[in-house]
Amino acid sequence: MKVLDLRCTHGHGFEGWFASNEAFDSQLASGLVECPVCGDTAIVKLLSAPRLNLSNAKAPKEEGRGDAARAPAAPATPSTQVSASSTSPEARWMRAVREVLAKTEDVGDRFADEARKMHYGETAERGIRGQATPEQTEALLDEGIPVMALPIPAALKETLQ
Ligand SMILES: [Zn+2]
């Protein structure tokens, strides 16, 4: 089994697993190798130096929750990390969610109260997250308080307390 570092013409890097280099070549020629991000079939094979790191970005799997917690003040720019190898849309979504989690305070079921207090200037503006019932969310929106539903991937939920 060969693991190849591949890249499409849009610069999306990803890994492909093939029985051999020949298998890759023939699948590529048949248009069977496509970018998991954009579906591009114009794929190039990158130099297969062991784990060649083409950007400064770390692979998503190396980015633990710990990193986000340790450096919440460093504004990450996900868009510059898109070309990191083995970056999937899912991985990018996870990273975006992690970023939100790192920058917001968990107020749990006090969310609706806290959002309202901030809106009316009773507490300082800050990023918060928490749980609100559909009724609470609707009431907040009715009052002109912007709230956003953020589905948290199950894999991340497990790492939260
Ligand atoms: Zn692509």
Side-chain angles (χ1 to χ4, degrees):
M1 193 60 87
K2 283 220 114 81
V3 181
L4 302 176
D5 283 322
L6 307 173
R7 176 166 290 199
C8 79
T9 53
H10 298 100
H12 304 127
F14 59 97
E15 275 181 1
W17 292 57
F18 300 91
S20 64
N21 276 317
E22 292 71 35
F24 166 73
D25 288 339
S26 72
Q27 287 184 40
L28 181 66
S30 313
L32 296 173
V33 184
E34 64 176 39
C35 171
V37 179
C38 67
D40 194 351
T41 52
I43 302 299
V44 294
K45 184 168 64 177
L46 301 172
L47 291 176
S48 55
R51 289 292 160 266
L52 183 66
N53 201 349
L54 293 159
S55 74
N56 294 325
K58 286 186 285 181
K61 56 174 97 68
E62 292 166 10
E63 249 179 23
R65 185 175 62 106
D67 289 354
R70 270 199 306 275
T77 47
S79 57
T80 62
Q81 301 175 359
V82 167
S83 62
S85 68
S86 76
T87 295
S88 63
E90 194 180 43
R92 272 184 287 158
W93 170 237
M94 297 273 279
R95 192 152 46 212
V97 170
R98 270 202 204 98
E99 212 177 308
V100 170
L101 294 181
K103 287 179 179 169
T104 55
E105 180 190 333
D106 189 0
V107 295
D109 54 14
R110 290 185 293 114
F111 180 80
D113 285 345
E114 292 293 324
R116 193 168 276 118
K117 274 192 228 164
M118 255 191 280
H119 184 70
Y120 294 110
E122 291 169 35
T123 64
E125 289 270 349
R126 65 196 195 282
I128 58 169
R129 66 178 192 277
Q131 295 82 46
T133 64
E135 292 75 23
Q136 287 174 322
T137 304
E138 204 174 314
L140 289 171
L141 291 171
D142 276 353
E143 290 174 54
I145 301 171
V147 292
M148 190 182 78
L150 177 72
I152 309 264
L156 265 184
K157 239 175 206 167
E158 289 163 18
T159 69
L160 298 170
Q161 65 280 52

